C-alpha cells in the first residue's frame, strides 16, 4: 500500500525561533529536504507543505487547508524549540524587562492531539529515535490539545520539536547534521508503518 505523507515546514520564513545563528524555518526546510526522499524510499508519496512568505497565522490556515484536502494518511510538522529567561536591565529610562536566550534546555519531543490513537502511536515511534539523537526532555511524547495543526487536521498529525535552537549542542546537530535528524524521524515513520 502506497501511503501519502505530508511534511509541514513549521512557521513562515523569519517568523519562528532563533538561536545560535539559526532560524527555525530554514532549519525545518533543510530537514524536510532530506526527510522527503527517505520517506519516498519507504514506498510513500510525500508532499512538502511550505508557505514561507505568509504570516504565521496565514501559514497555519493554509497548511490545515492543504492537509485536509490532500488525502494524506498522516502528516509531520517540523519545528525547533527555543528557551529564554527574563532579565531586568538598567536603562536611561529606568529598569526594563528583557528576554535573553537560555542555552540550558535541550532535547526533542513529539506532540500529538489527545484522543488520536494513530497520532499517539506515530509520536511514540518518532520520539524514540529522535530523542536518542537529541536527548534531554523529561517527556519525549506530549499530548497537546491547543495546537491548531494537530487539532484541525483530519488525518493523524504530529509535531516534531527537533531540539532547542537556543541550546548550543542541539543547534550544532541541527546545523551540521540535519540528515541525522531526518534519519531519526524516518526511522520512526518506518516503525509506525511496519506495526
Amino acid at each position: 500500500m502506497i501511503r501519502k505523507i505530508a511534511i509541514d515546514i513549521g512557521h513562515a520564513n523569519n517568523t519562528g525561533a532563533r538561536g545560535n545563528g539559526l532560524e527555525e524555518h530554514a532549519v525545518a526546510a533543510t530537514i524536510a529536504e532530506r526527510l522527503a526522499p527517505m520517506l519516498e524510499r519507504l514506498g510513500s508519496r510525500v508532499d512538502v507543505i511550505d508557505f514561507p512568505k505568509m504570516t504565521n497565522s496565514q501559514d497555519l490556515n493554509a497548511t490545515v487547508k492543504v492537509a485536509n484536502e490532500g488525502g494524506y494518511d498522516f502528516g509531520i510538522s517540523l519545528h525547533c524549540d527555543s528557551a529564554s529567561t527574563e532579565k531586568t536591565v538598567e536603562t536611561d529610562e529606568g529598569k526594563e524587562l528583557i528576554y535573553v536566550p537560555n542555552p540550558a534546555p535541550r532535547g526533542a519531543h513529539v506532540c500529538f492531539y489527545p484522543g488520536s490513537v494513530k497520532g499517539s502511536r506515530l509520536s511514540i515511534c518518532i520520539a524514540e529515535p529522535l530523542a536518542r539523537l537529541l536527548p534531554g526532555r523529561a517527556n519525549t511524547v506530549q499530548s497537546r490539545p491547543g495546537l491548531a495543526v494537530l487539532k484541525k487536521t483530519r488525518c493523524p498529525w504530529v509535531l516534531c520539536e527537533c531540539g532547542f535552537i537556543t541550546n548550543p549542542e542541539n543547534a550544532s546537530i541541527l546545523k551540521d547534521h540535519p540528515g541525522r535528524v531526518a534519519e531519526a524521524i524516518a526511522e520512526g515513520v518506518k516503525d509506525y508503518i511496519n506495526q
Side-chain angles (χ1 to χ4, degrees):
M1 173 184 164
I2 295 175
R3 283 168 183 78
K4 191 173 180 189
I5 303 171
I7 300 172
D8 164 43
I9 297 174
H11 295 289
N13 192 29
N14 288 315
T15 63
R18 291 180 175 280
N20 293 293
L22 300 175
E23 187 272 326
E24 185 172 7
H25 177 271
V27 170
T30 302
I31 294 168
E33 191 177 281
R34 288 155 175 79
L35 179 59
M38 292 176 188
L39 298 181
E40 287 168 348
R41 284 194 291 275
L42 296 176
S44 300
R45 277 192 48 213
V46 180
D47 291 336
V48 176
I49 302 172
D50 187 20
F51 300 101
K53 295 181 180 178
M54 294 183 170
T55 67
N56 263 340
S57 62
Q58 290 170 333
D59 171 73
L60 180 60
N61 290 334
T63 297
V64 169
K65 185 176 190 302
V66 170
N68 289 336
E69 294 174 356
Y72 297 105
D73 291 291
F74 58 89
I76 301 165
S77 286
L78 300 175
H79 287 262
C80 300
D81 254 330
S82 67
S84 59
T85 304
E86 291 181 359
K87 183 178 179 182
T88 303
V89 295
E90 294 287 337
T91 66
D92 292 340
E93 291 82 35
K95 292 184 179 183
E96 182 181 339
L97 184 65
I98 63 168
Y99 293 88
V100 294
N102 180 350
R106 63 189 180 94
H109 74 279
V110 183
C111 305
F112 68 96
Y113 188 71
S116 172
V117 174
K118 290 181 179 178
S120 172
R121 214 171 74 230
L122 179 59
S123 290
I124 292 165
C125 288
I126 293 173
E128 199 273 321
L130 190 59
R132 198 170 51 237
L133 176 66
L134 295 157
R137 296 292 291 244
N139 298 317
T140 59
V141 176
Q142 294 186 351
S143 166
R144 296 288 300 272
L147 297 179
V149 76
L150 303 179
K151 183 178 184 177
K152 294 182 178 182
T153 48
R154 291 188 198 118
C155 67
W157 208 274
V158 297
L159 186 147
C160 296
E161 292 283 8
C162 301
F164 279 81
I165 204 166
T166 46
N167 175 275
E169 288 118 18
N170 284 186
S172 177
I173 290 170
L174 294 168
K175 179 183 177 191
D176 299 331
H177 305 287
R180 290 177 60 199
V181 178
E183 284 169 3
I185 295 169
E187 180 184 334
V189 169
K190 183 178 179 182
D191 289 347
Y192 174 76
I193 288 171
N194 289 338
Q195 285 185 353

